[in-house]
Amino acid sequence: MESTVATKKAKADSKVESASTRKVKLKKVLSYAAFVGPAILFFIVIQIIPFLMGIYYSFTSWNGISSSIEWVGFENYKRIFTNDQRFFDSFLFTTKFMFAAVLISNIIGFSFALILNTALKTRNLLRTAFFIPNVIGGLLLGFIWQFIFVRGFAAIGELTNISFFLKPWLGDATTAFWGIVIVFAWQISGYMMVIYIAALQGVDTSLLEAAKIDGANAFTMLRKIIIPLILPAFTICFFLTISMAFKIFDLNLSLTGGGPFNSTQSVAINIYQEAFTNNNYGIGSAKSILFFLIVAIFTTVQVMITKKKEVEA
């Protein structure tokens, strides 16, 4: 009799415990949904749905306005590969710009990080000063530098007669290219600097002190100790700069508008003009899908290479 009562009591206790456990799990699920749910919803609405719609429109002939949408299959893609030299010219420009901008912005950012990681009294002020260009909008930044290149450099050139300042910086294809690279590196190097500083602060100082005792100079410590230890930061910075350089739009638009004679037209501007100026929304969508695949391939290969270097180091 006592064993039966004890069994019933144990079953009742287990039911109460399971009910309380379910309540706790439900509260956790609701709390997660309350915090993560809106973000997932906005991500689906703003990112996933437009991306899927873009894939659909890339197989259609639509002007972006008319209610009638004609399915054309792969005709848009065939037209891009067979009869759109300007798109490949813009891709060539963007690729060249990407390599130059990534290299220069990371060198500047890493150099700033090395300098400001030392015990300078003004390092906090300098970190803020170097990071400020990153918070300025691309359009505004482009118009500021357009004034500098056109008016500021011309005024300095007239006073000093230095050929560097007398060049038509935004009126020639070569100088316009390097002008965009300079402004991009000036804007983004401060952001890269912050990432590199965070990585440098995680380096064990005892390793550096031991290397100094063993007679290693600053360059040897940088090459053999510091860089191998902060390779994950290089992975992140290269990934960010590659994607940003490939997707450059507002800075390019405000500085040169793709000129002179479309010599500095980025892929993003080409897609924008195709879709919203020429009203070829289907071809513009097809170009954007191709561009997405190209950027995805570049960034994936870069991450794989740098991750492999991390393991080897």
Side-chain angles (χ1 to χ4, degrees), residues 103-136:
L103 181 63
I104 293 173
S105 58
N106 277 281
I107 289 174
I108 295 173
F110 184 60
S111 301
F112 283 166
L114 287 174
I115 295 169
L116 298 182
N117 195 47
T118 57
L120 292 175
K121 291 183 179 179
T122 59
R123 62 181 178 179
N124 291 331
L125 179 63
L126 291 173
R127 287 175 187 177
T128 305
F130 292 147
F131 184 76
I132 282 176
N134 186 69
V135 302
I136 303 175

PDB file of all heavy atoms in Angstrom, residues 103-136:
ATOM      1  N   LEU A 103      45.016  46.511 -51.133  1.00  0.00           N
ATOM      2  CA  LEU A 103      46.426  46.534 -50.742  1.00  0.00           C
ATOM      3  C   LEU A 103      46.767  47.824 -49.992  1.00  0.00           C
ATOM      4  O   LEU A 103      47.330  47.786 -48.885  1.00  0.00           O
ATOM      5  CB  LEU A 103      47.305  46.397 -51.984  1.00  0.00           C
ATOM      6  CG  LEU A 103      48.817  46.372 -51.744  1.00  0.00           C
ATOM      7  CD1 LEU A 103      49.213  45.156 -50.921  1.00  0.00           C
ATOM      8  CD2 LEU A 103      49.573  46.390 -53.073  1.00  0.00           C
ATOM      9  N   ILE A 104      46.405  48.965 -50.552  1.00  0.00           N
ATOM     10  CA  ILE A 104      46.781  50.251 -49.954  1.00  0.00           C
ATOM     11  C   ILE A 104      46.055  50.490 -48.639  1.00  0.00           C
ATOM     12  O   ILE A 104      46.675  50.900 -47.645  1.00  0.00           O
ATOM     13  CB  ILE A 104      46.488  51.396 -50.950  1.00  0.00           C
ATOM     14  CG1 ILE A 104      47.415  51.278 -52.162  1.00  0.00           C
ATOM     15  CG2 ILE A 104      46.660  52.753 -50.280  1.00  0.00           C
ATOM     16  CD1 ILE A 104      47.092  52.239 -53.275  1.00  0.00           C
ATOM     17  N   SER A 105      44.757  50.225 -48.576  1.00  0.00           N
ATOM     18  CA  SER A 105      43.999  50.491 -47.349  1.00  0.00           C
ATOM     19  C   SER A 105      44.446  49.595 -46.202  1.00  0.00           C
ATOM     20  O   SER A 105      44.497  50.038 -45.042  1.00  0.00           O
ATOM     21  CB  SER A 105      42.498  50.315 -47.604  1.00  0.00           C
ATOM     22  OG  SER A 105      42.210  49.009 -48.062  1.00  0.00           O
ATOM     23  N   ASN A 106      44.821  48.345 -46.496  1.00  0.00           N
ATOM     24  CA  ASN A 106      45.288  47.458 -45.424  1.00  0.00           C
ATOM     25  C   ASN A 106      46.695  47.817 -44.963  1.00  0.00           C
ATOM     26  O   ASN A 106      47.001  47.706 -43.771  1.00  0.00           O
ATOM     27  CB  ASN A 106      45.228  46.003 -45.883  1.00  0.00           C
ATOM     28  CG  ASN A 106      43.857  45.396 -45.740  1.00  0.00           C
ATOM     29  OD1 ASN A 106      43.434  45.003 -44.654  1.00  0.00           O
ATOM     30  ND2 ASN A 106      43.116  45.355 -46.832  1.00  0.00           N
ATOM     31  N   ILE A 107      47.545  48.249 -45.891  1.00  0.00           N
ATOM     32  CA  ILE A 107      48.885  48.688 -45.484  1.00  0.00           C
ATOM     33  C   ILE A 107      48.785  49.911 -44.578  1.00  0.00           C
ATOM     34  O   ILE A 107      49.436  49.993 -43.525  1.00  0.00           O
ATOM     35  CB  ILE A 107      49.748  48.990 -46.722  1.00  0.00           C
ATOM     36  CG1 ILE A 107      50.112  47.692 -47.445  1.00  0.00           C
ATOM     37  CG2 ILE A 107      51.016  49.735 -46.328  1.00  0.00           C
ATOM     38  CD1 ILE A 107      50.850  47.898 -48.753  1.00  0.00           C
ATOM     39  N   ILE A 108      47.961  50.881 -44.975  1.00  0.00           N
ATOM     40  CA  ILE A 108      47.794  52.091 -44.165  1.00  0.00           C
ATOM     41  C   ILE A 108      47.166  51.758 -42.816  1.00  0.00           C
ATOM     42  O   ILE A 108      47.634  52.219 -41.763  1.00  0.00           O
ATOM     43  CB  ILE A 108      46.933  53.128 -44.915  1.00  0.00           C
ATOM     44  CG1 ILE A 108      47.659  53.611 -46.170  1.00  0.00           C
ATOM     45  CG2 ILE A 108      46.600  54.309 -44.010  1.00  0.00           C
ATOM     46  CD1 ILE A 108      46.826  54.513 -47.055  1.00  0.00           C
ATOM     47  N   GLY A 109      46.109  50.942 -42.825  1.00  0.00           N
ATOM     48  CA  GLY A 109      45.435  50.585 -41.578  1.00  0.00           C
ATOM     49  C   GLY A 109      46.341  49.839 -40.622  1.00  0.00           C
ATOM     50  O   GLY A 109      46.354  50.119 -39.413  1.00  0.00           O
ATOM     51  N   PHE A 110      47.115  48.892 -41.149  1.00  0.00           N
ATOM     52  CA  PHE A 110      48.033  48.124 -40.303  1.00  0.00           C
ATOM     53  C   PHE A 110      49.162  49.005 -39.780  1.00  0.00           C
ATOM     54  O   PHE A 110      49.586  48.875 -38.618  1.00  0.00           O
ATOM     55  CB  PHE A 110      48.596  46.942 -41.088  1.00  0.00           C
ATOM     56  CG  PHE A 110      49.469  46.030 -40.278  1.00  0.00           C
ATOM     57  CD1 PHE A 110      48.976  45.384 -39.153  1.00  0.00           C
ATOM     58  CD2 PHE A 110      50.787  45.816 -40.634  1.00  0.00           C
ATOM     59  CE1 PHE A 110      49.784  44.544 -38.404  1.00  0.00           C
ATOM     60  CE2 PHE A 110      51.596  44.978 -39.899  1.00  0.00           C
ATOM     61  CZ  PHE A 110      51.100  44.342 -38.774  1.00  0.00           C
ATOM     62  N   SER A 111      49.657  49.917 -40.613  1.00  0.00           N
ATOM     63  CA  SER A 111      50.716  50.834 -40.173  1.00  0.00           C
ATOM     64  C   SER A 111      50.207  51.753 -39.057  1.00  0.00           C
ATOM     65  O   SER A 111      50.901  51.966 -38.053  1.00  0.00           O
ATOM     66  CB  SER A 111      51.203  51.674 -41.359  1.00  0.00           C
ATOM     67  OG  SER A 111      51.708  50.850 -42.384  1.00  0.00           O
ATOM     68  N   PHE A 112      49.014  52.291 -39.222  1.00  0.00           N
ATOM     69  CA  PHE A 112      48.418  53.113 -38.168  1.00  0.00           C
ATOM     70  C   PHE A 112      48.269  52.318 -36.872  1.00  0.00           C
ATOM     71  O   PHE A 112      48.531  52.829 -35.783  1.00  0.00           O
ATOM     72  CB  PHE A 112      47.050  53.630 -38.608  1.00  0.00           C
ATOM     73  CG  PHE A 112      47.104  54.773 -39.577  1.00  0.00           C
ATOM     74  CD1 PHE A 112      45.969  55.162 -40.277  1.00  0.00           C
ATOM     75  CD2 PHE A 112      48.280  55.477 -39.791  1.00  0.00           C
ATOM     76  CE1 PHE A 112      46.009  56.224 -41.167  1.00  0.00           C
ATOM     77  CE2 PHE A 112      48.330  56.530 -40.686  1.00  0.00           C
ATOM     78  CZ  PHE A 112      47.194  56.908 -41.373  1.00  0.00           C
ATOM     79  N   ALA A 113      47.854  51.064 -37.001  1.00  0.00           N
ATOM     80  CA  ALA A 113      47.646  50.227 -35.816  1.00  0.00           C
ATOM     81  C   ALA A 113      48.958  49.980 -35.082  1.00  0.00           C
ATOM     82  O   ALA A 113      49.010  50.036 -33.842  1.00  0.00           O
ATOM     83  CB  ALA A 113      47.006  48.901 -36.224  1.00  0.00           C
ATOM     84  N   LEU A 114      50.030  49.719 -35.828  1.00  0.00           N
ATOM     85  CA  LEU A 114      51.335  49.501 -35.200  1.00  0.00           C
ATOM     86  C   LEU A 114      51.802  50.745 -34.456  1.00  0.00           C
ATOM     87  O   LEU A 114      52.320  50.666 -33.337  1.00  0.00           O
ATOM     88  CB  LEU A 114      52.368  49.111 -36.257  1.00  0.00           C
ATOM     89  CG  LEU A 114      52.262  47.702 -36.844  1.00  0.00           C
ATOM     90  CD1 LEU A 114      53.269  47.533 -37.972  1.00  0.00           C
ATOM     91  CD2 LEU A 114      52.480  46.634 -35.775  1.00  0.00           C
ATOM     92  N   ILE A 115      51.586  51.916 -35.070  1.00  0.00           N
ATOM     93  CA  ILE A 115      52.028  53.165 -34.445  1.00  0.00           C
ATOM     94  C   ILE A 115      51.192  53.482 -33.206  1.00  0.00           C
ATOM     95  O   ILE A 115      51.726  53.826 -32.141  1.00  0.00           O
ATOM     96  CB  ILE A 115      51.946  54.327 -35.462  1.00  0.00           C
ATOM     97  CG1 ILE A 115      52.940  54.096 -36.603  1.00  0.00           C
ATOM     98  CG2 ILE A 115      52.223  55.663 -34.776  1.00  0.00           C
ATOM     99  CD1 ILE A 115      52.745  55.029 -37.770  1.00  0.00           C
ATOM    100  N   LEU A 116      49.875  53.330 -33.330  1.00  0.00           N
ATOM    101  CA  LEU A 116      48.983  53.732 -32.234  1.00  0.00           C
ATOM    102  C   LEU A 116      48.846  52.659 -31.158  1.00  0.00           C
ATOM    103  O   LEU A 116      48.155  52.890 -30.164  1.00  0.00           O
ATOM    104  CB  LEU A 116      47.603  54.084 -32.798  1.00  0.00           C
ATOM    105  CG  LEU A 116      47.589  55.258 -33.786  1.00  0.00           C
ATOM    106  CD1 LEU A 116      46.177  55.546 -34.251  1.00  0.00           C
ATOM    107  CD2 LEU A 116      48.199  56.497 -33.149  1.00  0.00           C
ATOM    108  N   ASN A 117      49.460  51.499 -31.370  1.00  0.00           N
ATOM    109  CA  ASN A 117      49.462  50.479 -30.315  1.00  0.00           C
ATOM    110  C   ASN A 117      50.586  50.710 -29.314  1.00  0.00           C
ATOM    111  O   ASN A 117      50.660  50.038 -28.285  1.00  0.00           O
ATOM    112  CB  ASN A 117      49.600  49.083 -30.936  1.00  0.00           C
ATOM    113  CG  ASN A 117      49.262  47.984 -29.965  1.00  0.00           C
ATOM    114  OD1 ASN A 117      48.244  48.038 -29.279  1.00  0.00           O
ATOM    115  ND2 ASN A 117      50.119  46.980 -29.889  1.00  0.00           N
ATOM    116  N   THR A 118      51.456  51.658 -29.622  1.00  0.00           N
ATOM    117  CA  THR A 118      52.531  52.014 -28.699  1.00  0.00           C
ATOM    118  C   THR A 118      52.012  53.001 -27.661  1.00  0.00           C
ATOM    119  O   THR A 118      50.892  53.501 -27.739  1.00  0.00           O
ATOM    120  CB  THR A 118      53.715  52.630 -29.467  1.00  0.00           C
ATOM    121  OG1 THR A 118      53.255  53.774 -30.200  1.00  0.00           O
ATOM    122  CG2 THR A 118      54.304  51.630 -30.446  1.00  0.00           C
ATOM    123  N   ALA A 119      52.865  53.307 -26.697  1.00  0.00           N
ATOM    124  CA  ALA A 119      52.447  54.165 -25.569  1.00  0.00           C
ATOM    125  C   ALA A 119      52.534  55.646 -25.925  1.00  0.00           C
ATOM    126  O   ALA A 119      53.301  56.413 -25.330  1.00  0.00           O
ATOM    127  CB  ALA A 119      53.295  53.857 -24.341  1.00  0.00           C
ATOM    128  N   LEU A 120      51.759  56.070 -26.930  1.00  0.00           N
ATOM    129  CA  LEU A 120      51.702  57.485 -27.278  1.00  0.00           C
ATOM    130  C   LEU A 120      50.674  58.197 -26.406  1.00  0.00           C
ATOM    131  O   LEU A 120      49.599  57.646 -26.141  1.00  0.00           O
ATOM    132  CB  LEU A 120      51.314  57.652 -28.755  1.00  0.00           C
ATOM    133  CG  LEU A 120      52.337  57.196 -29.807  1.00  0.00           C
ATOM    134  CD1 LEU A 120      51.728  57.322 -31.190  1.00  0.00           C
ATOM    135  CD2 LEU A 120      53.610  58.019 -29.718  1.00  0.00           C
ATOM    136  N   LYS A 121      50.976  59.412 -25.997  1.00  0.00           N
ATOM    137  CA  LYS A 121      50.030  60.158 -25.168  1.00  0.00           C
ATOM    138  C   LYS A 121      48.778  60.551 -25.944  1.00  0.00           C
ATOM    139  O   LYS A 121      47.698  60.662 -25.370  1.00  0.00           O
ATOM    140  CB  LYS A 121      50.718  61.410 -24.605  1.00  0.00           C
ATOM    141  CG  LYS A 121      51.805  61.113 -23.572  1.00  0.00           C
ATOM    142  CD  LYS A 121      52.393  62.395 -23.016  1.00  0.00           C
ATOM    143  CE  LYS A 121      53.470  62.092 -21.969  1.00  0.00           C
ATOM    144  NZ  LYS A 121      54.072  63.327 -21.419  1.00  0.00           N
ATOM    145  N   THR A 122      48.927  60.785 -27.235  1.00  0.00           N
ATOM    146  CA  THR A 122      47.802  61.244 -28.052  1.00  0.00           C
ATOM    147  C   THR A 122      47.177  60.111 -28.873  1.00  0.00           C
ATOM    148  O   THR A 122      46.471  60.378 -29.846  1.00  0.00           O
ATOM    149  CB  THR A 122      48.280  62.343 -29.010  1.00  0.00           C
ATOM    150  OG1 THR A 122      49.333  61.822 -29.844  1.00  0.00           O
ATOM    151  CG2 THR A 122      48.780  63.559 -28.249  1.00  0.00           C
ATOM    152  N   ARG A 123      47.412  58.863 -28.472  1.00  0.00           N
ATOM    153  CA  ARG A 123      46.938  57.763 -29.309  1.00  0.00           C
ATOM    154  C   ARG A 123      45.412  57.706 -29.397  1.00  0.00           C
ATOM    155  O   ARG A 123      44.865  57.390 -30.457  1.00  0.00           O
ATOM    156  CB  ARG A 123      47.494  56.431 -28.802  1.00  0.00           C
ATOM    157  CG  ARG A 123      47.088  56.034 -27.405  1.00  0.00           C
ATOM    158  CD  ARG A 123      47.724  54.721 -27.015  1.00  0.00           C
ATOM    159  NE  ARG A 123      47.383  54.333 -25.651  1.00  0.00           N
ATOM    160  CZ  ARG A 123      47.805  53.217 -25.071  1.00  0.00           C
ATOM    161  NH1 ARG A 123      48.606  52.392 -25.733  1.00  0.00           N
ATOM    162  NH2 ARG A 123      47.463  52.926 -23.827  1.00  0.00           N
ATOM    163  N   ASN A 124      44.701  57.997 -28.313  1.00  0.00           N
ATOM    164  CA  ASN A 124      43.233  57.977 -28.355  1.00  0.00           C
ATOM    165  C   ASN A 124      42.700  59.059 -29.286  1.00  0.00           C
ATOM    166  O   ASN A 124      41.746  58.839 -30.048  1.00  0.00           O
ATOM    167  CB  ASN A 124      42.663  58.157 -26.952  1.00  0.00           C
ATOM    168  CG  ASN A 124      42.925  56.954 -26.062  1.00  0.00           C
ATOM    169  OD1 ASN A 124      43.024  55.819 -26.541  1.00  0.00           O
ATOM    170  ND2 ASN A 124      43.056  57.192 -24.768  1.00  0.00           N
ATOM    171  N   LEU A 125      43.318  60.230 -29.226  1.00  0.00           N
ATOM    172  CA  LEU A 125      42.911  61.322 -30.108  1.00  0.00           C
ATOM    173  C   LEU A 125      43.193  60.968 -31.566  1.00  0.00           C
ATOM    174  O   LEU A 125      42.352  61.212 -32.452  1.00  0.00           O
ATOM    175  CB  LEU A 125      43.656  62.606 -29.727  1.00  0.00           C
ATOM    176  CG  LEU A 125      43.365  63.845 -30.575  1.00  0.00           C
ATOM    177  CD1 LEU A 125      41.907  64.251 -30.453  1.00  0.00           C
ATOM    178  CD2 LEU A 125      44.283  64.993 -30.158  1.00  0.00           C
ATOM    179  N   LEU A 126      44.347  60.375 -31.821  1.00  0.00           N
ATOM    180  CA  LEU A 126      44.711  60.006 -33.186  1.00  0.00           C
ATOM    181  C   LEU A 126      43.828  58.872 -33.710  1.00  0.00           C
ATOM    182  O   LEU A 126      43.462  58.870 -34.897  1.00  0.00           O
ATOM    183  CB  LEU A 126      46.181  59.587 -33.239  1.00  0.00           C
ATOM    184  CG  LEU A 126      47.203  60.707 -33.026  1.00  0.00           C
ATOM    185  CD1 LEU A 126      48.613  60.140 -32.931  1.00  0.00           C
ATOM    186  CD2 LEU A 126      47.118  61.725 -34.153  1.00  0.00           C
ATOM    187  N   ARG A 127      43.479  57.928 -32.862  1.00  0.00           N
ATOM    188  CA  ARG A 127      42.576  56.851 -33.284  1.00  0.00           C
ATOM    189  C   ARG A 127      41.241  57.424 -33.731  1.00  0.00           C
ATOM    190  O   ARG A 127      40.675  57.018 -34.756  1.00  0.00           O
ATOM    191  CB  ARG A 127      42.365  55.859 -32.137  1.00  0.00           C
ATOM    192  CG  ARG A 127      43.562  54.969 -31.843  1.00  0.00           C
ATOM    193  CD  ARG A 127      43.304  54.105 -30.621  1.00  0.00           C
ATOM    194  NE  ARG A 127      44.485  53.361 -30.219  1.00  0.00           N
ATOM    195  CZ  ARG A 127      44.549  52.581 -29.146  1.00  0.00           C
ATOM    196  NH1 ARG A 127      43.479  52.454 -28.359  1.00  0.00           N
ATOM    197  NH2 ARG A 127      45.662  51.935 -28.858  1.00  0.00           N
ATOM    198  N   THR A 128      40.725  58.369 -32.968  1.00  0.00           N
ATOM    199  CA  THR A 128      39.462  59.010 -33.326  1.00  0.00           C
ATOM    200  C   THR A 128      39.589  59.767 -34.639  1.00  0.00           C
ATOM    201  O   THR A 128      38.710  59.680 -35.511  1.00  0.00           O
ATOM    202  CB  THR A 128      39.021  59.973 -32.211  1.00  0.00           C
ATOM    203  OG1 THR A 128      38.952  59.261 -30.969  1.00  0.00           O
ATOM    204  CG2 THR A 128      37.669  60.587 -32.531  1.00  0.00           C
ATOM    205  N   ALA A 129      40.683  60.505 -34.789  1.00  0.00           N
ATOM    206  CA  ALA A 129      40.892  61.297 -36.003  1.00  0.00           C
ATOM    207  C   ALA A 129      40.987  60.409 -37.241  1.00  0.00           C
ATOM    208  O   ALA A 129      40.424  60.733 -38.298  1.00  0.00           O
ATOM    209  CB  ALA A 129      42.154  62.144 -35.856  1.00  0.00           C
ATOM    210  N   PHE A 130      41.689  59.278 -37.118  1.00  0.00           N
ATOM    211  CA  PHE A 130      41.846  58.389 -38.270  1.00  0.00           C
ATOM    212  C   PHE A 130      40.549  57.635 -38.581  1.00  0.00           C
ATOM    213  O   PHE A 130      40.330  57.245 -39.737  1.00  0.00           O
ATOM    214  CB  PHE A 130      42.966  57.375 -38.020  1.00  0.00           C
ATOM    215  CG  PHE A 130      44.333  57.997 -37.975  1.00  0.00           C
ATOM    216  CD1 PHE A 130      45.322  57.483 -37.154  1.00  0.00           C
ATOM    217  CD2 PHE A 130      44.631  59.097 -38.756  1.00  0.00           C
ATOM    218  CE1 PHE A 130      46.586  58.061 -37.115  1.00  0.00           C
ATOM    219  CE2 PHE A 130      45.893  59.680 -38.724  1.00  0.00           C
ATOM    220  CZ  PHE A 130      46.872  59.159 -37.903  1.00  0.00           C
ATOM    221  N   PHE A 131      39.694  57.436 -37.573  1.00  0.00           N
ATOM    222  CA  PHE A 131      38.463  56.684 -37.793  1.00  0.00           C
ATOM    223  C   PHE A 131      37.329  57.559 -38.325  1.00  0.00           C
ATOM    224  O   PHE A 131      36.407  57.041 -38.964  1.00  0.00           O
ATOM    225  CB  PHE A 131      38.018  56.020 -36.480  1.00  0.00           C
ATOM    226  CG  PHE A 131      36.808  55.134 -36.622  1.00  0.00           C
ATOM    227  CD1 PHE A 131      36.933  53.874 -37.189  1.00  0.00           C
ATOM    228  CD2 PHE A 131      35.555  55.553 -36.216  1.00  0.00           C
ATOM    229  CE1 PHE A 131      35.827  53.053 -37.342  1.00  0.00           C
ATOM    230  CE2 PHE A 131      34.442  54.746 -36.361  1.00  0.00           C
ATOM    231  CZ  PHE A 131      34.581  53.483 -36.918  1.00  0.00           C
ATOM    232  N   ILE A 132      37.384  58.869 -38.084  1.00  0.00           N
ATOM    233  CA  ILE A 132      36.292  59.777 -38.459  1.00  0.00           C
ATOM    234  C   ILE A 132      35.900  59.680 -39.939  1.00  0.00           C
ATOM    235  O   ILE A 132      34.706  59.679 -40.262  1.00  0.00           O
ATOM    236  CB  ILE A 132      36.644  61.229 -38.067  1.00  0.00           C
ATOM    237  CG1 ILE A 132      36.426  61.425 -36.562  1.00  0.00           C
ATOM    238  CG2 ILE A 132      35.796  62.236 -38.843  1.00  0.00           C
ATOM    239  CD1 ILE A 132      36.823  62.798 -36.047  1.00  0.00           C
ATOM    240  N   PRO A 133      36.846  59.602 -40.905  1.00  0.00           N
ATOM    241  CA  PRO A 133      36.422  59.507 -42.316  1.00  0.00           C
ATOM    242  C   PRO A 133      35.486  58.348 -42.602  1.00  0.00           C
ATOM    243  O   PRO A 133      34.668  58.427 -43.535  1.00  0.00           O
ATOM    244  CB  PRO A 133      37.745  59.335 -43.065  1.00  0.00           C
ATOM    245  CG  PRO A 133      38.759  59.989 -42.193  1.00  0.00           C
ATOM    246  CD  PRO A 133      38.311  59.709 -40.785  1.00  0.00           C
ATOM    247  N   ASN A 134      35.572  57.272 -41.808  1.00  0.00           N
ATOM    248  CA  ASN A 134      34.727  56.119 -42.058  1.00  0.00           C
ATOM    249  C   ASN A 134      33.257  56.385 -41.753  1.00  0.00           C
ATOM    250  O   ASN A 134      32.376  55.716 -42.293  1.00  0.00           O
ATOM    251  CB  ASN A 134      35.217  54.927 -41.215  1.00  0.00           C
ATOM    252  CG  ASN A 134      34.470  53.655 -41.540  1.00  0.00           C
ATOM    253  OD1 ASN A 134      34.626  53.093 -42.616  1.00  0.00           O
ATOM    254  ND2 ASN A 134      33.637  53.199 -40.618  1.00  0.00           N
ATOM    255  N   VAL A 135      32.968  57.349 -40.886  1.00  0.00           N
ATOM    256  CA  VAL A 135      31.580  57.637 -40.520  1.00  0.00           C
ATOM    257  C   VAL A 135      30.959  58.683 -41.429  1.00  0.00           C
ATOM    258  O   VAL A 135      29.765  58.977 -41.299  1.00  0.00           O
ATOM    259  CB  VAL A 135      31.478  58.087 -39.043  1.00  0.00           C
ATOM    260  CG1 VAL A 135      32.041  57.036 -38.120  1.00  0.00           C
ATOM    261  CG2 VAL A 135      32.188  59.417 -38.826  1.00  0.00           C
ATOM    262  N   ILE A 136      31.740  59.273 -42.336  1.00  0.00           N
ATOM    263  CA  ILE A 136      31.197  60.241 -43.288  1.00  0.00           C
ATOM    264  C   ILE A 136      30.603  59.482 -44.463  1.00  0.00           C
ATOM    265  O   ILE A 136      31.209  58.543 -44.987  1.00  0.00           O
ATOM    266  CB  ILE A 136      32.293  61.211 -43.774  1.00  0.00           C
ATOM    267  CG1 ILE A 136      32.932  61.933 -42.590  1.00  0.00           C
ATOM    268  CG2 ILE A 136      31.719  62.231 -44.761  1.00  0.00           C
ATOM    269  CD1 ILE A 136      34.103  62.821 -42.977  1.00  0.00           C
TER     270      ILE A 136
END
